[in-house]
Amino acid sequence: MLVKEVADKNGGEGVGITLEMGLPQQVVARDQHSEPVFGVVAPELLQDMLLLMAKENEQGLRELCDETGCFKETRVVEFVFLLSEKWSLPELARYQAIEIFERFMLTLTQEFSISPRTEEEESNWVSMRQQIVDTYVLRLVSCIQLASKLSFHYSIVNNTMALKFLQSVGFSYIAEDLLESELTILKALHFQINVPTPLAFTEMLLEVLGYNGCLLPMEQMHAMCRHLLVLTYVLRVSIYSTLLKASIENTSPNELQLGKFAAVKEDLMLLAVGVIGASAFLLHTEVWNQVAENLSDITGITPQSIAEIVDTILKHSIDHAVEDG
């Protein structure tokens, strides 16, 4: 058994990564399967990948700004998910599209954080704001296109597909507009668009659970996690609002509390742990405590925090199912 320390978290406390080392297994090419194949990655590689993802997550939490998360609202998530479904994109691309859009829009909001000093500058700001509003849908489509190109061995959203959709909803863009939009996003993000996603964290933690001796059927768990992750993203605002109010025991959080809670909302490791824990509770309640303990050992997230986010996800998922029913 190996235990390593990753980036410091919560006042200097390390996060323990625990993997049980087993015999090497033959690696099977994943592109031969429509679903992930668990238990085929060498444990040494798996541990390195998990450590890297944990460090990326910690770095992202350190770089949060006040507006982080504002562009993951329900309408954006539903738009991306539905359009990605229409174009048969893999699930990973859908989450990447949302993250790319969020990061791009945050670069624009940072430009507006500097107050204009002259009437001419004020006029330019007004013009830029209007341009952002006018190109909102175009940027969303471009982010989906870019995400599809990261998964080039699946479906790629070409300009013909994108233009056909945009024209069907009343826009009159041409191919040059699409190319210019993609380039604008790429330049704003310094061409760094292969961003972490909650789905990648979820699949990684499922893989680690398997190597640590968890006897749950991972394919079944993976299927449930996929459904809950989609639902969690759609209900993201209400889920984290409930979680915040429960954590501070107050229905009216102040600005300081909202600011500190941003790190909780953007913690991809915590979200993945919550989705896996909720899936285990729904599918195999009798071993839920064991799964929660394993997840805590792997990530360093306290059992109490795991229980809180699992409880919130389950509550909103059940309420949503009842409303739909």
Side-chain angles (χ1 to χ4, degrees):
M1 182 177 293
L2 294 182
V3 179
K4 288 190 177 182
E5 296 297 322
V6 296
D8 284 347
K9 179 179 182 180
N10 298 330
E13 295 182 2
V15 180
I17 305 297
T18 305
L19 292 178
E20 290 191 6
M21 307 298 288
L23 294 176
Q25 301 187 41
Q26 182 179 4
V27 177
V28 180
R30 287 181 180 264
D31 58 3
Q32 296 177 359
H33 303 269
S34 57
E35 300 293 339
V37 180
F38 292 96
V40 299
V41 178
E44 297 88 350
L45 177 60
L46 182 61
Q47 180 161 276
D48 289 343
M49 292 170 61
L50 182 57
L51 287 168
L52 177 60
M53 292 176 70
K55 290 178 180 179
E56 289 179 344
N57 186 53
E58 292 300 324
Q59 181 179 351
L61 296 180
R62 289 194 296 268
E63 297 174 351
L64 295 178
C65 64
D66 293 341
E67 294 80 13
T68 300
C70 292
F71 301 100
K72 296 179 185 177
E73 59 181 352
T74 301
R75 290 179 300 173
V76 170
V77 171
E78 290 180 339
F79 180 93
V80 172
F81 281 7
L82 290 173
L83 196 51
S84 297
E85 183 71 25
K86 171 183 174 66
W87 286 330
S88 302
L89 298 183
E91 287 177 288
L92 183 60
R94 305 172 192 191
Y95 293 103
Q96 283 180 318
I98 294 172
E99 295 299 326
I100 292 171
F101 181 73
E102 159 89 352
R103 295 185 181 210
F104 170 69
M105 295 301 295
L106 289 177
T107 65
L108 300 183
T109 60
Q110 290 172 3
E111 294 183 20
F112 292 115
S113 63
I114 303 176
S115 300
R117 298 179 180 178
T118 67
E119 292 185 5
E120 181 179 356
E121 289 174 332
E122 174 65 27
S123 177
N124 290 336
W125 287 127
V126 171
S127 177
M128 287 181 62
R129 292 190 187 98
Q130 188 59 47
Q131 184 181 24
I132 292 173
V133 173
D134 293 341
T135 59
Y136 201 83
V137 175
L138 174 62
R139 301 304 189 214
L140 270 170
V141 171
S142 294
C143 288
I144 296 174
Q145 279 193 276
L146 289 170
S148 76
K149 293 174 182 178
L150 292 173
S151 305
F152 58 86
H153 51 293
Y154 293 98
S155 301
I156 292 179
V157 180
N158 58 41
N159 287 345
T160 300
M161 297 164 62
L163 285 175
K164 183 178 180 181
F165 166 76
L166 288 168
Q167 291 167 1
S168 72
V169 293
F171 293 99
S172 57
Y173 293 114
I174 59 177
E176 286 74 11
D177 296 323
L178 292 177
L179 294 173
E180 181 180 349
S181 180
E182 285 191 44
L183 188 58
T184 297
I185 295 170
L186 288 171
K187 286 182 176 179
L189 299 179
H190 306 290
F191 292 84
Q192 297 177 5
I193 60 171
N194 194 5
V195 295
T197 69
L199 180 61
F201 277 79
T202 300
E203 292 181 342
M204 175 61 70
L205 289 177
L206 285 175
E207 188 80 53
V208 175
L209 281 175
Y211 270 108
N212 279 359
C214 181
L215 300 179
L216 294 178
M218 287 306 161
E219 289 76 10
Q220 185 186 44
M221 281 287 293
H222 181 256
M224 178 60 75
C225 285
R226 287 165 52 195
H227 293 305
L228 278 183
L229 188 55
V230 170
L231 192 57
T232 301
Y233 248 59
V234 172
L235 302 176
R236 184 177 186 275
V237 175
S238 56
I239 284 177
Y240 282 110
S241 175
T242 298
L243 192 61
L244 170 59
K245 293 173 183 177
S247 65
I248 64 174
E249 300 180 349
N250 191 330
T251 57
S252 301
N254 56 41
E255 290 297 324
L256 178 60
Q257 290 168 328
L258 289 171
K260 290 183 176 180
F261 193 71
V264 176
K265 293 195 298 182
E266 299 305 317
D267 191 336
L268 298 182
M269 191 74 80
L270 176 63
L271 175 56
V273 164
V275 168
I276 293 173
S279 298
F281 186 88
L282 290 173
L283 293 173
H284 306 280
T285 310
E286 68 281 1
V287 296
W288 140 250
N289 287 329
Q290 177 189 349
V291 173
E293 290 175 4
N294 287 342
L295 288 171
S296 180
D297 290 340
I298 293 168
T299 65
I301 299 172
T302 66
Q304 179 181 352
S305 295
I306 294 175
E308 288 175 352
I309 191 169
V310 167
D311 180 70
T312 305
I313 290 174
L314 289 173
K315 178 182 182 301
H316 283 274
S317 299
I318 294 171
D319 290 346
H320 184 75
V322 170
E323 291 175 2
D324 286 350

